[in-house]
Amino acid sequence: MKIAIAGTGYVGLSNGLLLAQNHEVVALDIVPEKIAMLNEGLSPIEDSEIQEYLPRLLNQQKGAIGFHATLDKDEAYRDADYVIIATPTDYDPETNYFNTKSVEAVITDVQNINPKAVMIIKSTVPVGYTQSVREKFGSENILFSPEFLREGKALYDNLYPSRIVVGERSERAQIFAELLKEGAIKEEIPVLLTDSTEAEAIKLFANTYLAMRVAYFNELDSYCETHGLDTRQVIEGVGLDPRIGMHYNNPSFGYGGYCLPKDTKQLLANYAEVPSNMIRAIVDANRTRKDFIADRIIARLPKDTHGYPTGIIGIYRLVMKQGSDNFRSSAIQGVMKRLKAKGIEVIVYEPALDVDEFFHSRVIQDLNEFKKISDVIVANRMTDEIRDVEEKVYTRDLFNSD
């Protein structure tokens, strides 16, 4: 088959390379630099499996199995059996809605170039969106298939998926599910074919549950820190209950990244006319956690002669987790804002940044200089790079995991 991919972020690239093992895959993007990198076998994002598979699967020959990228819509969509839409849909706080303009731009182009192609929306969208665009564009060739992946582990999570969900109960939906299974390494993969709106709800509720779990263990940690308890002992004791488990339990500065913040807010907006308490509580808990963390950091600063905190706070890495280069909406940025609002000088060490300032905070490129001038070093996750100044480090990373 020929499969087109619209968008070359984590979702688009991981799906494209998964499918390129057995089919012709043409990835489309609007950024010339990304296309040039991809066609040289260089990944524009940090993901170990993508970096491994990309050069191996490159094939510029038309009609041949493999992967290549283009800026040309016609080249991508012409004769494609499936078009996977993986363009960004950022949450707009003013409208309480995902911005889906890029998705609809792709649908328009595909209808003009290759109206017979089956379009699979992988971008996160509001509940009810797929049905609405089917009606808007007068097309039944639009499906939704939610993505369940981690940034920095996107291709791995497609090679070893927890499940495959496709939002249509049909032969073509089953075929698409089989295409994903065909490229996976994991053998026993649950497949669920549902209606489109149910598939959209699955995505939002799954991510909201994960946000709830993050918020729960963070509140447990805030309690233990406040009362001088050993958080690790408490989490281990709680997690030994098999209904709770010892996974996804590492305290942090709050949930963040690309999916969880926008999905919880979107679900909250969807609940506008439904009696509810928990979804709002999750969003509020995340805000409270950042307040708490900021206060704990400030308490570690040296005091001036009047008893006021003074000195420099160093932010070690803006990224959410190791193995990722994305710091969009990372929780540590929320903590930074709170610290700066108190008039405290904040500096940043982030190798992914090639600028002198980040939101009016100095960016220090040399790690040794960063360690030397920081009075307190704030790290969402501990690494060997800063263990030599561990006495300066404030982190809630207890289990050395995401």
Side-chain angles (χ1 to χ4, degrees):
M1 286 190 182
K2 178 184 175 183
I3 300 162
I5 309 285
T8 59
Y10 282 103
V11 174
L13 264 186
S14 60
N15 276 275
L17 293 174
L18 178 84
L19 296 164
Q21 297 174 96
N22 300 291
H23 302 277
E24 178 190 7
V25 172
V26 184
L28 175 74
D29 207 289
I30 59 173
V31 182
E33 293 79 10
K34 287 181 78 174
I35 297 302
M37 285 184 70
L38 289 168
N39 285 332
E40 291 173 10
L42 301 172
S43 173
I45 56 180
E46 191 170 323
D47 184 298
S48 56
E49 280 74 25
I50 288 176
Q51 290 161 343
E52 175 192 343
Y53 276 66
L54 177 57
R56 210 166 71 202
L57 293 171
L58 269 184
N59 193 336
Q60 303 283 1
Q61 185 179 342
K62 185 176 180 180
I65 290 174
F67 176 94
H68 76 274
T70 183
L71 291 163
D72 187 339
K73 298 174 192 174
D74 195 83
E75 179 188 352
Y77 301 146
R78 183 77 60 197
D79 301 322
D81 298 284
Y82 287 93
V83 176
I84 295 176
I85 303 174
T87 55
T89 52
D90 293 330
Y91 180 79
D92 186 340
E94 291 187 9
T95 62
N96 287 331
Y97 211 68
F98 289 119
N99 185 340
T100 54
K101 289 178 182 176
S102 64
V103 173
E104 289 171 38
V106 173
I107 294 171
T108 300
D109 289 337
V110 173
Q111 283 197 314
N112 290 335
I113 296 168
N114 182 8
K116 291 184 179 179
V118 177
M119 291 169 269
I120 308 284
I121 299 173
K122 282 281 183 182
S123 306
T124 305
V125 295
V127 176
Y129 177 77
T130 305
Q131 185 57 42
S132 72
V133 289
R134 280 182 166 190
E135 293 168 3
K136 178 178 179 178
F137 288 92
S139 172
E140 291 297 311
N141 282 349
I142 305 171
L143 283 65
F144 176 73
S145 176
E147 199 57 62
F148 308 102
L149 54 80
R150 297 165 293 171
E151 292 175 4
K153 285 287 184 182
L155 181 50
Y156 180 91
D157 287 342
N158 274 309
L159 292 168
Y160 299 91
S162 58
R163 73 281 208 195
I164 293 170
V165 178
V166 185
E168 187 176 88
R169 292 179 287 176
S170 65
E171 183 180 354
R172 64 185 182 180
Q174 184 65 51
I175 291 170
F176 181 71
E178 292 300 325
L179 291 175
L180 299 178
K181 287 178 68 177
E182 179 185 32
I185 295 172
K186 184 179 176 182
E187 293 184 358
E188 297 298 321
I189 305 168
V191 173
L192 181 63
L193 303 185
T194 72
D195 295 327
S196 64
T197 305
E198 281 75 4
E200 291 158 352
I202 288 168
K203 166 71 171 178
L204 288 181
F205 275 102
N207 274 350
T208 301
Y209 175 82
L210 294 178
M212 179 183 70
R213 193 170 169 103
V214 171
Y216 170 82
F217 283 105
N218 281 342
E219 288 213 349
L220 183 158
D221 180 54
S222 294
Y223 180 89
C224 289
E225 271 232 277
T226 301
H227 293 284
L229 305 181
D230 185 326
T231 300
R232 187 184 184 108
Q233 289 182 37
V234 176
I235 289 178
E236 287 176 346
V238 169
L240 286 172
D241 185 327
R243 296 168 298 178
I244 298 171
M246 286 298 296
H247 60 280
Y248 211 61
N249 60 0
N250 197 17
S252 66
F253 297 160
Y255 62 78
Y258 182 58
C259 288
L260 298 193
K262 69 174 187 174
D263 288 3
T264 50
K265 289 174 183 173
Q266 177 63 61
L267 199 55
L268 188 59
N270 288 152
Y271 261 96
E273 298 176 3
V274 181
S276 64
N277 299 101
M278 188 181 294
I279 310 301
R280 164 59 68 188
I282 294 168
V283 175
D284 290 345
N286 204 46
R287 189 182 305 113
T288 300
R289 174 65 169 179
K290 293 173 193 174
D291 293 339
F292 176 82
I293 291 294
D295 288 342
R296 302 296 285 192
I297 294 166
I298 292 169
R300 294 188 56 149
L301 281 171
K303 305 292 189 293
D304 65 16
T305 54
H306 301 289
Y308 294 112
T310 185
I312 297 174
I313 293 175
I315 303 296
Y316 172 77
R317 305 302 307 267
L318 297 169
V319 294
M320 284 298 301
K321 58 187 81 172
Q322 296 178 47
S324 169
D325 58 358
N326 177 39
F327 44 83
R328 178 169 35 183
S329 300
S330 61
I332 204 164
Q333 291 186 58
V335 174
M336 270 183 71
K337 290 175 186 174
R338 288 159 171 79
L339 297 172
K340 288 161 71 73
K342 304 271 182 155
I344 296 164
E345 183 178 357
V346 175
I347 61 173
V348 175
Y349 174 76
E350 177 49 73
L353 279 178
D354 190 23
V355 293
D356 294 328
E357 280 194 352
F358 181 78
F359 287 104
H360 307 295
S361 288
R362 282 190 294 152
V363 175
I364 309 299
Q365 305 292 352
D366 182 85
L367 180 58
N368 288 325
E369 181 189 357
F370 170 81
K371 292 176 186 176
K372 184 177 179 180
I373 63 178
S374 299
D375 292 291
V376 178
I377 294 173
V378 179
N380 189 46
R381 292 293 177 248
M382 192 68 179
T383 73
D384 290 338
E385 275 192 332
I386 53 175
R387 288 198 192 280
D388 60 324
V389 288
E390 198 163 357
E391 72 283 354
K392 286 188 175 186
V393 176
Y394 179 82
T395 183
R396 299 311 303 150
D397 181 11
L398 303 181
F399 298 102
N400 195 30
S401 66
D402 293 338

